Amino acid sequence: MWYVAVAAGSFRRYATYRVATVAGVFTNTVFGFIVAYTYIALWDARPHLGGYDQAQALTFVWTAQALLAASSLMAGGGLDELQERIRTGDIAVDLYRPADLQVWWLSADLGRAALQLIGRGVVPMAVGALVFPLALPADPATWGWFLVSVTLGVVVSFALRYLVALASFWLLDGTGLALISGLACLFFSGMVLPLRVFPGGFGEVAQLLPWAAILQVPVDVLVGARGGGALLRGLAFQAVWGAVLLALGRLVQSAATRKVVVHGG
C-alpha cells in the first residue's frame, strides 16, 4: 500500500498541470495530422510497406502520439527530477527513506504514466479515429492485451531512464546522456518509422532491442499484427527486457549507493 500511495500521489500531482496537459494534447494532435498525411503519401507509393496496410499504418501514427507522454518516448518523464536530486545531493534524503529507491520511483512513474495516458492519450486517438480510417480492434480482449503491453512498455521505458538518471552519480550532469537516450528511444522504438519497415538485418536487430518493447510491440498488439503465439512472445519479450533492465538498475544503484557513502553523502 505504501507504493500504491506513491503512485496515486504522482497521478494527482501531474493532474494539477491542466494547462500543460491541454497544450500537450494540442501538440500531439497537430503532429499526428502531420505524420498521418506523410504516412498516407508513403503508403500510397508503397502499399503494405512493412506488412501494414494503410489503416494499420495510420493507427501506428495515432497510437504513437497517444503513448508519447505516457511511455516517455522523448526520455525524461519524471526521472529528470531524480537526476536533479542526484546533482544537488538531495538524493541523500531519498536514501534515508524506509523504502526502496527503485520501487519508489517506479511507482511514481506508473502514476505519472497513467495520468498521461488518460490526459494526453485519449483525445489524440479519438481525433485520429474520427478523421482517418484506423484499424482499431472491436474485440475487448485485444484492448485488454494492449493495455498490458503498454504497462510493460512503460516499465521498460522506466528501467532505461532510471539507468540514465543513475549515471548522474558519476557524470554529475547527465543532461547530455539523457538527450542521447531520448534520440535512441525515438528512433529505435518506432516513433519515427515502424521498425518493421527497416530493411534486412538492421530491422531484425532493431526489433530485438529494448526500445522496441516501448512502442513497436504495443502497437502491433493493437493493430492485430500479433496474435496467438506471437502475442505471448511479444509480451514475454517485454517482460524479459523489463526484468533484465530493472536488475541492472539495482546493480548500478548498489554501486552508486556505496559511492555516496564513501563521499559522505
Side-chain angles (χ1 to χ4, degrees), residues 230-254:
L231 169 62
L232 296 178
R233 287 193 296 272
L235 297 177
F237 170 78
Q238 292 179 290
V240 168
W241 266 121
V244 168
L245 291 170
L246 288 174
L248 182 58
R250 296 200 72 82
L251 290 175
V252 175
Q253 175 183 308
S254 178

Side-chain angles (χ1 to χ4, degrees), residues 155-258:
V155 171
V156 173
S157 172
F158 164 81
L160 286 167
R161 289 178 286 118
Y162 190 70
L163 285 169
V164 171
L166 289 180
S168 297
F169 275 107
W170 291 271
L171 299 177
L172 299 184
D173 186 354
T175 304
L177 183 60
L179 289 174
I180 294 172
S181 175
L183 290 173
C185 185
L186 282 175
F187 187 79
F188 287 108
S189 67
M191 184 68 190
V192 176
L193 202 63
L195 301 183
R196 288 172 173 262
V197 174
F198 293 175
F202 180 72
E204 294 175 2
V205 171
Q207 293 184 65
L208 295 176
L209 298 177
W211 294 283
I214 301 174
L215 178 63
Q216 182 69 52
V217 174
V219 177
D220 279 346
V221 172
L222 184 65
V223 301
R226 285 184 178 272
L231 169 62
L232 296 178
R233 287 193 296 272
L235 297 177
F237 170 78
Q238 292 179 290
V240 168
W241 266 121
V244 168
L245 291 170
L246 288 174
L248 182 58
R250 296 200 72 82
L251 290 175
V252 175
Q253 175 183 308
S254 178
T257 303
R258 289 197 296 270

Side-chain angles (χ1 to χ4, degrees), residues 46-133:
R46 296 283 302 276
H48 300 288
L49 181 62
Y52 297 126
D53 59 29
Q54 190 174 93
Q56 289 175 315
L58 289 171
T59 305
F60 198 108
V61 171
W62 289 101
T63 306
Q65 293 301 319
L67 296 181
L68 179 64
S71 298
S72 295
L73 292 170
M74 298 183 69
L79 294 189
D80 46 1
E81 180 183 351
L82 175 58
Q83 283 186 310
E84 181 63 15
R85 292 183 69 81
I86 294 172
R87 189 188 68 81
T88 60
D90 291 339
I91 190 65
V93 177
D94 299 336
L95 294 174
Y96 274 113
R97 288 176 178 155
D100 182 86
L101 184 69
Q102 186 185 51
V103 181
W104 173 285
W105 284 98
L106 174 59
S107 301
D109 199 60
L110 289 173
R112 175 205 61 79
L115 184 279
Q116 299 287 19
L117 183 62
I118 298 170
R120 288 184 58 174
V122 173
V123 173
M125 179 67 85
V127 171
L130 288 173
V131 178
F132 300 95

Side-chain angles (χ1 to χ4, degrees), residues 9-19 21 111-112 115-116:
S10 180
F11 184 97
R12 290 193 300 271
R13 173 188 175 188
Y14 281 90
T16 62
Y17 300 111
R18 295 183 180 88
V19 175
T21 299
R112 175 205 61 79
L115 184 279
Q116 299 287 19

